[in-house]
Amino acid sequence: MYADTIAAVATPPGEGGVGIVRLSGPAALPIATQLFRPQRPGPLRSHQVRFGHIINPATGAVVDEALTVWMAAPRSFTREDVVELSVHGGSLPVQATLSLCLAAGARLARPGEFTLRAFLNGRLDLSQAEATLDIIRAQTDTALALAQAQLGGWLAREVRTVRQALLAALAYVTVVVDFPEDEVEPQDLGPHLQASLATVETLLRSADQGLIYRQGARVALVGVPNVGKSSLLNALLRADRAIVTPIPGTTRDTLEESANLDGVPVVLIDTAGMHASPDPVERLGIERARAALAGADLALLVLDATRPLSADDHALAALTATKPTLVVWNKSDVGRMSESAFPAHLRRLATVHTSALTGAGLDELAQALVRALLGGVPPAAGEAHLVSNPRHRDALRRAHEHLAAAVAGWTGGDPTDLLGGDLTAALNALGEITGETVGDDLLDLIFARFCVGK
Ligand SMILES: Nc1nc2c(ncn2[C@@H]2O[C@H](COP(=O)(O)OP(=O)(O)OP(=O)(O)O)[C@@H](O)[C@H]2O)c(=O)[nH]1
Ligand SMILES: [Mg+2]
């Protein structure tokens, strides 16, 4: 437990119905008692809301009406004494209340410091603490569901189960190595290690989908001029965002817009039509289009269904060869080219026929896009148990590497002392997810991303 008491505004800046100043630490209640004068006399009671006024104790002046809740330790977010002072949601009453808390001895909280205390006081593990930030930042229902499940602790439980199995294996290995003369009942660690490896593998595999749901993906619409890239962008957004004209070379600059496609947050990028152009302005746009393609997670290669592929189409198709790509035959309301003329690598790709004009095929396009982003697997309906944090994925990858080495070593009859190193490394990597094995540097880095007051 900390000796100091922190305070911060817990609500966003700007005007709102209420603004909340939050205190946490041993002096939370004494400070609140100095500032808050309840309407009906009598001391505050834990977990009861009281109406009254915030007053400046130095002058006796009333600052604002307030509702006050004291949550006595350990039944609070931080497991410390917490007081929340709700005043009217304007910057003056909120800031004045905060200033009075600071004058009475509280220290201004750093970003994420309430959650850090919740973690350090054992109220949350690190993966749950990070989930609170994900809940605040979630852009889609699915991202929110993933974060809620993580806050519920499923990932922490999975990780702990594996760590317990590995600790038992490490204990056995250590005894065998340190006391070779003792009669140790021989154990077959193989099945235990295999089971742990399988769990880590499942978690790791779920991250491919989980990260897309949480972080979204960048999708570039590329094609030669006039195939309907900007029209498709507008149609997918259901908004007249990009300029569309019958003149080839209309789009000069790249244009980005966020969209939510079946719960997957995507950034759609419209680009200039790519072809060999003598126009210097157009050439700059085409450079940007190439850069957008290079930085995208997925390319939508837009082709004109009313005419055979041109040399420029082929050149562009070659450019997308190394990138996950979806082929979109647009203007399918007018015509439909025979696909036998495709270059071989395009024939292997998922293909959608659309008309940005009539809307035909747009739902199929959105679905194909989501499938392509999620690695061919359909969206996991209601499946909230996905690893969705790159830090967790990184730790899982390292745990996986060491566990795989341990399994191979055990199967290959390696000397037991070699196993100890891999088991320890796997245990440490997994401990980083729940926070059992992280240093202060990493904690600072993680919590610095939080907002003040959380
Ligand atoms: N019939 C038909 N016309 C379309 C369709 N999509 C776009 N067009 C027309 O094709 C022309 C070009 O459309 P844009 O969306 O500007 O094409 P673009 O690929 O963005 O073109 P640039 O920006 O020049 O590279 C416009 O006249 C559109 O109305 C479609 O699905 N069917
Ligand atoms: Mg365009």
Side-chain angles (χ1 to χ4, degrees), residues 290-327:
R290 281 172 185 268
L293 175 61
D297 300 299
L298 178 74
L300 297 189
L301 175 60
V302 186
L303 303 171
D304 185 335
T306 65
R307 55 163 180 76
L309 292 181
S310 66
D312 284 330
D313 284 318
H314 281 287
L316 183 56
L319 257 190
T320 60
T322 53
K323 174 92 14 195
T325 303
L326 204 62
V327 178

PDB file of all heavy atoms in Angstrom, residues 290-327:
ATOM      1  N   ARG A 290       1.509   3.726 -54.262  1.00  0.00           N
ATOM      2  CA  ARG A 290       2.431   2.604 -54.035  1.00  0.00           C
ATOM      3  C   ARG A 290       2.767   2.471 -52.562  1.00  0.00           C
ATOM      4  O   ARG A 290       2.814   1.371 -52.009  1.00  0.00           O
ATOM      5  CB  ARG A 290       3.738   2.831 -54.797  1.00  0.00           C
ATOM      6  CG  ARG A 290       3.660   2.506 -56.267  1.00  0.00           C
ATOM      7  CD  ARG A 290       4.953   2.960 -56.927  1.00  0.00           C
ATOM      8  NE  ARG A 290       4.888   2.792 -58.365  1.00  0.00           N
ATOM      9  CZ  ARG A 290       5.300   1.686 -58.976  1.00  0.00           C
ATOM     10  NH1 ARG A 290       5.816   0.692 -58.290  1.00  0.00           N
ATOM     11  NH2 ARG A 290       5.177   1.580 -60.287  1.00  0.00           N
ATOM     12  N   ALA A 291       2.998   3.611 -51.914  1.00  0.00           N
ATOM     13  CA  ALA A 291       3.334   3.593 -50.486  1.00  0.00           C
ATOM     14  C   ALA A 291       2.149   3.053 -49.675  1.00  0.00           C
ATOM     15  O   ALA A 291       2.323   2.268 -48.736  1.00  0.00           O
ATOM     16  CB  ALA A 291       3.711   4.989 -50.011  1.00  0.00           C
ATOM     17  N   ALA A 292       0.922   3.461 -50.057  1.00  0.00           N
ATOM     18  CA  ALA A 292      -0.270   2.989 -49.345  1.00  0.00           C
ATOM     19  C   ALA A 292      -0.406   1.478 -49.505  1.00  0.00           C
ATOM     20  O   ALA A 292      -0.730   0.757 -48.557  1.00  0.00           O
ATOM     21  CB  ALA A 292      -1.514   3.695 -49.878  1.00  0.00           C
ATOM     22  N   LEU A 293      -0.120   1.009 -50.706  1.00  0.00           N
ATOM     23  CA  LEU A 293      -0.192  -0.437 -50.962  1.00  0.00           C
ATOM     24  C   LEU A 293       0.842  -1.164 -50.099  1.00  0.00           C
ATOM     25  O   LEU A 293       0.537  -2.188 -49.473  1.00  0.00           O
ATOM     26  CB  LEU A 293       0.066  -0.703 -52.458  1.00  0.00           C
ATOM     27  CG  LEU A 293       0.158  -2.166 -52.886  1.00  0.00           C
ATOM     28  CD1 LEU A 293      -1.150  -2.890 -52.602  1.00  0.00           C
ATOM     29  CD2 LEU A 293       0.498  -2.268 -54.373  1.00  0.00           C
ATOM     30  N   ALA A 294       2.046  -0.609 -50.043  1.00  0.00           N
ATOM     31  CA  ALA A 294       3.118  -1.261 -49.280  1.00  0.00           C
ATOM     32  C   ALA A 294       2.762  -1.320 -47.792  1.00  0.00           C
ATOM     33  O   ALA A 294       3.070  -2.295 -47.110  1.00  0.00           O
ATOM     34  CB  ALA A 294       4.432  -0.509 -49.491  1.00  0.00           C
ATOM     35  N   GLY A 295       2.069  -0.294 -47.291  1.00  0.00           N
ATOM     36  CA  GLY A 295       1.772  -0.245 -45.860  1.00  0.00           C
ATOM     37  C   GLY A 295       0.472  -0.927 -45.482  1.00  0.00           C
ATOM     38  O   GLY A 295       0.142  -1.006 -44.299  1.00  0.00           O
ATOM     39  N   ALA A 296      -0.275  -1.423 -46.471  1.00  0.00           N
ATOM     40  CA  ALA A 296      -1.597  -1.988 -46.176  1.00  0.00           C
ATOM     41  C   ALA A 296      -1.487  -3.434 -45.711  1.00  0.00           C
ATOM     42  O   ALA A 296      -0.542  -4.143 -46.060  1.00  0.00           O
ATOM     43  CB  ALA A 296      -2.479  -1.904 -47.413  1.00  0.00           C
ATOM     44  N   ASP A 297      -2.467  -3.863 -44.909  1.00  0.00           N
ATOM     45  CA  ASP A 297      -2.536  -5.269 -44.519  1.00  0.00           C
ATOM     46  C   ASP A 297      -3.182  -6.092 -45.618  1.00  0.00           C
ATOM     47  O   ASP A 297      -2.949  -7.293 -45.725  1.00  0.00           O
ATOM     48  CB  ASP A 297      -3.383  -5.416 -43.243  1.00  0.00           C
ATOM     49  CG  ASP A 297      -2.788  -4.643 -42.084  1.00  0.00           C
ATOM     50  OD1 ASP A 297      -1.650  -4.961 -41.711  1.00  0.00           O
ATOM     51  OD2 ASP A 297      -3.442  -3.709 -41.584  1.00  0.00           O
ATOM     52  N   LEU A 298      -4.004  -5.439 -46.423  1.00  0.00           N
ATOM     53  CA  LEU A 298      -4.721  -6.142 -47.480  1.00  0.00           C
ATOM     54  C   LEU A 298      -4.914  -5.186 -48.650  1.00  0.00           C
ATOM     55  O   LEU A 298      -5.188  -4.010 -48.456  1.00  0.00           O
ATOM     56  CB  LEU A 298      -6.088  -6.599 -46.960  1.00  0.00           C
ATOM     57  CG  LEU A 298      -7.009  -7.311 -47.950  1.00  0.00           C
ATOM     58  CD1 LEU A 298      -6.511  -8.734 -48.195  1.00  0.00           C
ATOM     59  CD2 LEU A 298      -8.443  -7.361 -47.430  1.00  0.00           C
ATOM     60  N   ALA A 299      -4.773  -5.714 -49.875  1.00  0.00           N
ATOM     61  CA  ALA A 299      -5.020  -4.912 -51.071  1.00  0.00           C
ATOM     62  C   ALA A 299      -6.331  -5.355 -51.708  1.00  0.00           C
ATOM     63  O   ALA A 299      -6.608  -6.546 -51.799  1.00  0.00           O
ATOM     64  CB  ALA A 299      -3.872  -5.084 -52.061  1.00  0.00           C
ATOM     65  N   LEU A 300      -7.144  -4.387 -52.113  1.00  0.00           N
ATOM     66  CA  LEU A 300      -8.276  -4.689 -52.981  1.00  0.00           C
ATOM     67  C   LEU A 300      -7.840  -4.290 -54.382  1.00  0.00           C
ATOM     68  O   LEU A 300      -7.693  -3.101 -54.681  1.00  0.00           O
ATOM     69  CB  LEU A 300      -9.514  -3.878 -52.584  1.00  0.00           C
ATOM     70  CG  LEU A 300     -10.105  -4.119 -51.205  1.00  0.00           C
ATOM     71  CD1 LEU A 300     -11.444  -3.388 -51.070  1.00  0.00           C
ATOM     72  CD2 LEU A 300     -10.309  -5.603 -50.951  1.00  0.00           C
ATOM     73  N   LEU A 301      -7.582  -5.287 -55.210  1.00  0.00           N
ATOM     74  CA  LEU A 301      -7.143  -5.013 -56.579  1.00  0.00           C
ATOM     75  C   LEU A 301      -8.397  -4.831 -57.428  1.00  0.00           C
ATOM     76  O   LEU A 301      -9.111  -5.790 -57.719  1.00  0.00           O
ATOM     77  CB  LEU A 301      -6.295  -6.177 -57.092  1.00  0.00           C
ATOM     78  CG  LEU A 301      -5.858  -6.107 -58.551  1.00  0.00           C
ATOM     79  CD1 LEU A 301      -5.025  -4.866 -58.820  1.00  0.00           C
ATOM     80  CD2 LEU A 301      -5.064  -7.355 -58.923  1.00  0.00           C
ATOM     81  N   VAL A 302      -8.692  -3.576 -57.782  1.00  0.00           N
ATOM     82  CA  VAL A 302      -9.938  -3.281 -58.487  1.00  0.00           C
ATOM     83  C   VAL A 302      -9.688  -3.334 -59.994  1.00  0.00           C
ATOM     84  O   VAL A 302      -8.769  -2.685 -60.505  1.00  0.00           O
ATOM     85  CB  VAL A 302     -10.488  -1.901 -58.077  1.00  0.00           C
ATOM     86  CG1 VAL A 302     -11.856  -1.667 -58.700  1.00  0.00           C
ATOM     87  CG2 VAL A 302     -10.569  -1.784 -56.553  1.00  0.00           C
ATOM     88  N   LEU A 303     -10.506  -4.133 -60.682  1.00  0.00           N
ATOM     89  CA  LEU A 303     -10.384  -4.287 -62.134  1.00  0.00           C
ATOM     90  C   LEU A 303     -11.708  -3.901 -62.780  1.00  0.00           C
ATOM     91  O   LEU A 303     -12.769  -3.990 -62.154  1.00  0.00           O
ATOM     92  CB  LEU A 303     -10.049  -5.747 -62.481  1.00  0.00           C
ATOM     93  CG  LEU A 303      -8.776  -6.318 -61.832  1.00  0.00           C
ATOM     94  CD1 LEU A 303      -8.680  -7.817 -62.077  1.00  0.00           C
ATOM     95  CD2 LEU A 303      -7.533  -5.606 -62.356  1.00  0.00           C
ATOM     96  N   ASP A 304     -11.630  -3.480 -64.021  1.00  0.00           N
ATOM     97  CA  ASP A 304     -12.834  -3.080 -64.762  1.00  0.00           C
ATOM     98  C   ASP A 304     -13.381  -4.309 -65.494  1.00  0.00           C
ATOM     99  O   ASP A 304     -12.724  -4.863 -66.381  1.00  0.00           O
ATOM    100  CB  ASP A 304     -12.445  -1.977 -65.758  1.00  0.00           C
ATOM    101  CG  ASP A 304     -13.659  -1.404 -66.486  1.00  0.00           C
ATOM    102  OD1 ASP A 304     -14.685  -2.124 -66.598  1.00  0.00           O
ATOM    103  OD2 ASP A 304     -13.579  -0.250 -66.938  1.00  0.00           O
ATOM    104  N   ALA A 305     -14.591  -4.719 -65.117  1.00  0.00           N
ATOM    105  CA  ALA A 305     -15.153  -5.953 -65.664  1.00  0.00           C
ATOM    106  C   ALA A 305     -15.636  -5.786 -67.103  1.00  0.00           C
ATOM    107  O   ALA A 305     -16.041  -6.764 -67.739  1.00  0.00           O
ATOM    108  CB  ALA A 305     -16.305  -6.437 -64.782  1.00  0.00           C
ATOM    109  N   THR A 306     -15.608  -4.566 -67.607  1.00  0.00           N
ATOM    110  CA  THR A 306     -16.176  -4.355 -68.951  1.00  0.00           C
ATOM    111  C   THR A 306     -15.133  -4.461 -70.049  1.00  0.00           C
ATOM    112  O   THR A 306     -15.469  -4.362 -71.225  1.00  0.00           O
ATOM    113  CB  THR A 306     -16.826  -2.956 -69.060  1.00  0.00           C
ATOM    114  OG1 THR A 306     -15.800  -1.956 -68.918  1.00  0.00           O
ATOM    115  CG2 THR A 306     -17.879  -2.759 -67.988  1.00  0.00           C
ATOM    116  N   ARG A 307     -13.858  -4.616 -69.665  1.00  0.00           N
ATOM    117  CA  ARG A 307     -12.836  -4.668 -70.714  1.00  0.00           C
ATOM    118  C   ARG A 307     -11.726  -5.650 -70.325  1.00  0.00           C
ATOM    119  O   ARG A 307     -11.522  -5.918 -69.133  1.00  0.00           O
ATOM    120  CB  ARG A 307     -12.250  -3.279 -70.960  1.00  0.00           C
ATOM    121  CG  ARG A 307     -11.692  -2.638 -69.699  1.00  0.00           C
ATOM    122  CD  ARG A 307     -10.759  -1.492 -70.004  1.00  0.00           C
ATOM    123  NE  ARG A 307     -10.236  -0.910 -68.779  1.00  0.00           N
ATOM    124  CZ  ARG A 307      -9.287  -1.444 -68.036  1.00  0.00           C
ATOM    125  NH1 ARG A 307      -8.753  -2.614 -68.357  1.00  0.00           N
ATOM    126  NH2 ARG A 307      -8.856  -0.842 -66.935  1.00  0.00           N
ATOM    127  N   PRO A 308     -11.005  -6.156 -71.319  1.00  0.00           N
ATOM    128  CA  PRO A 308      -9.917  -7.079 -71.020  1.00  0.00           C
ATOM    129  C   PRO A 308      -8.824  -6.386 -70.208  1.00  0.00           C
ATOM    130  O   PRO A 308      -8.721  -5.154 -70.238  1.00  0.00           O
ATOM    131  CB  PRO A 308      -9.372  -7.487 -72.395  1.00  0.00           C
ATOM    132  CG  PRO A 308     -10.335  -6.983 -73.393  1.00  0.00           C
ATOM    133  CD  PRO A 308     -11.137  -5.901 -72.779  1.00  0.00           C
ATOM    134  N   LEU A 309      -8.030  -7.186 -69.503  1.00  0.00           N
ATOM    135  CA  LEU A 309      -6.949  -6.612 -68.708  1.00  0.00           C
ATOM    136  C   LEU A 309      -5.935  -5.920 -69.613  1.00  0.00           C
ATOM    137  O   LEU A 309      -5.587  -6.426 -70.670  1.00  0.00           O
ATOM    138  CB  LEU A 309      -6.239  -7.714 -67.911  1.00  0.00           C
ATOM    139  CG  LEU A 309      -7.061  -8.366 -66.805  1.00  0.00           C
ATOM    140  CD1 LEU A 309      -6.222  -9.427 -66.090  1.00  0.00           C
ATOM    141  CD2 LEU A 309      -7.543  -7.338 -65.809  1.00  0.00           C
ATOM    142  N   SER A 310      -5.478  -4.751 -69.189  1.00  0.00           N
ATOM    143  CA  SER A 310      -4.487  -4.002 -69.951  1.00  0.00           C
ATOM    144  C   SER A 310      -3.089  -4.303 -69.413  1.00  0.00           C
ATOM    145  O   SER A 310      -2.941  -4.976 -68.390  1.00  0.00           O
ATOM    146  CB  SER A 310      -4.762  -2.507 -69.804  1.00  0.00           C
ATOM    147  OG  SER A 310      -4.551  -2.131 -68.448  1.00  0.00           O
ATOM    148  N   ALA A 311      -2.097  -3.772 -70.094  1.00  0.00           N
ATOM    149  CA  ALA A 311      -0.715  -3.941 -69.622  1.00  0.00           C
ATOM    150  C   ALA A 311      -0.556  -3.307 -68.240  1.00  0.00           C
ATOM    151  O   ALA A 311       0.138  -3.848 -67.375  1.00  0.00           O
ATOM    152  CB  ALA A 311       0.253  -3.292 -70.616  1.00  0.00           C
ATOM    153  N   ASP A 312      -1.229  -2.166 -68.018  1.00  0.00           N
ATOM    154  CA  ASP A 312      -1.156  -1.524 -66.700  1.00  0.00           C
ATOM    155  C   ASP A 312      -1.784  -2.406 -65.612  1.00  0.00           C
ATOM    156  O   ASP A 312      -1.274  -2.488 -64.495  1.00  0.00           O
ATOM    157  CB  ASP A 312      -1.873  -0.162 -66.737  1.00  0.00           C
ATOM    158  CG  ASP A 312      -1.036   0.909 -67.439  1.00  0.00           C
ATOM    159  OD1 ASP A 312       0.210   0.823 -67.378  1.00  0.00           O
ATOM    160  OD2 ASP A 312      -1.634   1.816 -68.059  1.00  0.00           O
ATOM    161  N   ASP A 313      -2.916  -3.055 -65.945  1.00  0.00           N
ATOM    162  CA  ASP A 313      -3.542  -3.983 -64.988  1.00  0.00           C
ATOM    163  C   ASP A 313      -2.563  -5.087 -64.603  1.00  0.00           C
ATOM    164  O   ASP A 313      -2.422  -5.436 -63.427  1.00  0.00           O
ATOM    165  CB  ASP A 313      -4.789  -4.646 -65.610  1.00  0.00           C
ATOM    166  CG  ASP A 313      -5.983  -3.697 -65.658  1.00  0.00           C
ATOM    167  OD1 ASP A 313      -6.219  -2.979 -64.677  1.00  0.00           O
ATOM    168  OD2 ASP A 313      -6.675  -3.692 -66.707  1.00  0.00           O
ATOM    169  N   HIS A 314      -1.901  -5.639 -65.618  1.00  0.00           N
ATOM    170  CA  HIS A 314      -0.961  -6.734 -65.362  1.00  0.00           C
ATOM    171  C   HIS A 314       0.203  -6.266 -64.508  1.00  0.00           C
ATOM    172  O   HIS A 314       0.627  -6.979 -63.583  1.00  0.00           O
ATOM    173  CB  HIS A 314      -0.441  -7.313 -66.691  1.00  0.00           C
ATOM    174  CG  HIS A 314      -1.428  -8.238 -67.340  1.00  0.00           C
ATOM    175  ND1 HIS A 314      -1.684  -9.495 -66.850  1.00  0.00           N
ATOM    176  CD2 HIS A 314      -2.235  -8.081 -68.418  1.00  0.00           C
ATOM    177  CE1 HIS A 314      -2.608 -10.089 -67.607  1.00  0.00           C
ATOM    178  NE2 HIS A 314      -2.960  -9.232 -68.575  1.00  0.00           N
ATOM    179  N   ALA A 315       0.697  -5.067 -64.809  1.00  0.00           N
ATOM    180  CA  ALA A 315       1.828  -4.537 -64.027  1.00  0.00           C
ATOM    181  C   ALA A 315       1.418  -4.364 -62.566  1.00  0.00           C
ATOM    182  O   ALA A 315       2.166  -4.706 -61.642  1.00  0.00           O
ATOM    183  CB  ALA A 315       2.281  -3.200 -64.610  1.00  0.00           C
ATOM    184  N   LEU A 316       0.196  -3.872 -62.349  1.00  0.00           N
ATOM    185  CA  LEU A 316      -0.287  -3.657 -60.995  1.00  0.00           C
ATOM    186  C   LEU A 316      -0.514  -4.991 -60.278  1.00  0.00           C
ATOM    187  O   LEU A 316      -0.182  -5.154 -59.100  1.00  0.00           O
ATOM    188  CB  LEU A 316      -1.581  -2.851 -61.049  1.00  0.00           C
ATOM    189  CG  LEU A 316      -2.170  -2.478 -59.694  1.00  0.00           C
ATOM    190  CD1 LEU A 316      -1.156  -1.729 -58.866  1.00  0.00           C
ATOM    191  CD2 LEU A 316      -3.411  -1.629 -59.883  1.00  0.00           C
ATOM    192  N   ALA A 317      -1.077  -5.950 -61.020  1.00  0.00           N
ATOM    193  CA  ALA A 317      -1.302  -7.274 -60.426  1.00  0.00           C
ATOM    194  C   ALA A 317       0.021  -7.854 -59.945  1.00  0.00           C
ATOM    195  O   ALA A 317       0.083  -8.472 -58.870  1.00  0.00           O
ATOM    196  CB  ALA A 317      -1.950  -8.198 -61.450  1.00  0.00           C
ATOM    197  N   ALA A 318       1.087  -7.627 -60.713  1.00  0.00           N
ATOM    198  CA  ALA A 318       2.398  -8.122 -60.298  1.00  0.00           C
ATOM    199  C   ALA A 318       2.850  -7.424 -59.016  1.00  0.00           C
ATOM    200  O   ALA A 318       3.460  -8.047 -58.144  1.00  0.00           O
ATOM    201  CB  ALA A 318       3.420  -7.898 -61.412  1.00  0.00           C
ATOM    202  N   LEU A 319       2.502  -6.138 -58.892  1.00  0.00           N
ATOM    203  CA  LEU A 319       2.875  -5.382 -57.685  1.00  0.00           C
ATOM    204  C   LEU A 319       2.216  -5.934 -56.426  1.00  0.00           C
ATOM    205  O   LEU A 319       2.776  -5.866 -55.332  1.00  0.00           O
ATOM    206  CB  LEU A 319       2.418  -3.924 -57.836  1.00  0.00           C
ATOM    207  CG  LEU A 319       3.420  -2.845 -58.183  1.00  0.00           C
ATOM    208  CD1 LEU A 319       2.768  -1.475 -58.027  1.00  0.00           C
ATOM    209  CD2 LEU A 319       4.647  -2.932 -57.293  1.00  0.00           C
ATOM    210  N   THR A 320       1.001  -6.467 -56.594  1.00  0.00           N
ATOM    211  CA  THR A 320       0.275  -6.961 -55.415  1.00  0.00           C
ATOM    212  C   THR A 320       0.615  -8.412 -55.095  1.00  0.00           C
ATOM    213  O   THR A 320       0.080  -8.971 -54.138  1.00  0.00           O
ATOM    214  CB  THR A 320      -1.250  -6.885 -55.633  1.00  0.00           C
ATOM    215  OG1 THR A 320      -1.577  -7.690 -56.773  1.00  0.00           O
ATOM    216  CG2 THR A 320      -1.717  -5.469 -55.855  1.00  0.00           C
ATOM    217  N   ALA A 321       1.501  -9.009 -55.898  1.00  0.00           N
ATOM    218  CA  ALA A 321       1.727 -10.456 -55.771  1.00  0.00           C
ATOM    219  C   ALA A 321       2.210 -10.864 -54.383  1.00  0.00           C
ATOM    220  O   ALA A 321       1.933 -11.974 -53.931  1.00  0.00           O
ATOM    221  CB  ALA A 321       2.728 -10.914 -56.829  1.00  0.00           C
ATOM    222  N   THR A 322       2.904  -9.970 -53.686  1.00  0.00           N
ATOM    223  CA  THR A 322       3.461 -10.362 -52.389  1.00  0.00           C
ATOM    224  C   THR A 322       2.561  -9.950 -51.238  1.00  0.00           C
ATOM    225  O   THR A 322       2.931 -10.061 -50.073  1.00  0.00           O
ATOM    226  CB  THR A 322       4.836  -9.693 -52.179  1.00  0.00           C
ATOM    227  OG1 THR A 322       4.669  -8.281 -52.375  1.00  0.00           O
ATOM    228  CG2 THR A 322       5.860 -10.221 -53.165  1.00  0.00           C
ATOM    229  N   LYS A 323       1.381  -9.483 -51.525  1.00  0.00           N
ATOM    230  CA  LYS A 323       0.523  -8.892 -50.497  1.00  0.00           C
ATOM    231  C   LYS A 323      -0.788  -9.681 -50.443  1.00  0.00           C
ATOM    232  O   LYS A 323      -1.270 -10.126 -51.474  1.00  0.00           O
ATOM    233  CB  LYS A 323       0.313  -7.451 -50.954  1.00  0.00           C
ATOM    234  CG  LYS A 323      -0.571  -6.579 -50.282  1.00  0.00           C
ATOM    235  CD  LYS A 323      -0.141  -5.669 -49.189  1.00  0.00           C
ATOM    236  CE  LYS A 323       1.244  -5.298 -48.807  1.00  0.00           C
ATOM    237  NZ  LYS A 323       1.431  -4.683 -47.577  1.00  0.00           N
ATOM    238  N   PRO A 324      -1.371  -9.912 -49.288  1.00  0.00           N
ATOM    239  CA  PRO A 324      -2.712 -10.506 -49.275  1.00  0.00           C
ATOM    240  C   PRO A 324      -3.646  -9.628 -50.118  1.00  0.00           C
ATOM    241  O   PRO A 324      -3.734  -8.426 -49.885  1.00  0.00           O
ATOM    242  CB  PRO A 324      -3.115 -10.462 -47.804  1.00  0.00           C
ATOM    243  CG  PRO A 324      -1.837 -10.324 -47.044  1.00  0.00           C
ATOM    244  CD  PRO A 324      -0.868  -9.623 -47.943  1.00  0.00           C
ATOM    245  N   THR A 325      -4.287 -10.246 -51.101  1.00  0.00           N
ATOM    246  CA  THR A 325      -5.033  -9.458 -52.080  1.00  0.00           C
ATOM    247  C   THR A 325      -6.382 -10.086 -52.367  1.00  0.00           C
ATOM    248  O   THR A 325      -6.527 -11.300 -52.399  1.00  0.00           O
ATOM    249  CB  THR A 325      -4.232  -9.370 -53.409  1.00  0.00           C
ATOM    250  OG1 THR A 325      -2.962  -8.799 -53.122  1.00  0.00           O
ATOM    251  CG2 THR A 325      -4.940  -8.514 -54.440  1.00  0.00           C
ATOM    252  N   LEU A 326      -7.351  -9.215 -52.558  1.00  0.00           N
ATOM    253  CA  LEU A 326      -8.688  -9.632 -52.967  1.00  0.00           C
ATOM    254  C   LEU A 326      -8.932  -8.996 -54.330  1.00  0.00           C
ATOM    255  O   LEU A 326      -8.692  -7.805 -54.502  1.00  0.00           O
ATOM    256  CB  LEU A 326      -9.664  -9.055 -51.949  1.00  0.00           C
ATOM    257  CG  LEU A 326     -11.013  -9.690 -51.735  1.00  0.00           C
ATOM    258  CD1 LEU A 326     -10.826 -11.107 -51.233  1.00  0.00           C
ATOM    259  CD2 LEU A 326     -11.769  -8.887 -50.673  1.00  0.00           C
ATOM    260  N   VAL A 327      -9.410  -9.782 -55.308  1.00  0.00           N
ATOM    261  CA  VAL A 327      -9.657  -9.241 -56.640  1.00  0.00           C
ATOM    262  C   VAL A 327     -11.112  -8.767 -56.718  1.00  0.00           C
ATOM    263  O   VAL A 327     -12.031  -9.514 -56.377  1.00  0.00           O
ATOM    264  CB  VAL A 327      -9.399 -10.301 -57.724  1.00  0.00           C
ATOM    265  CG1 VAL A 327      -9.709  -9.729 -59.101  1.00  0.00           C
ATOM    266  CG2 VAL A 327      -7.959 -10.781 -57.654  1.00  0.00           C
TER     267      VAL A 327
END
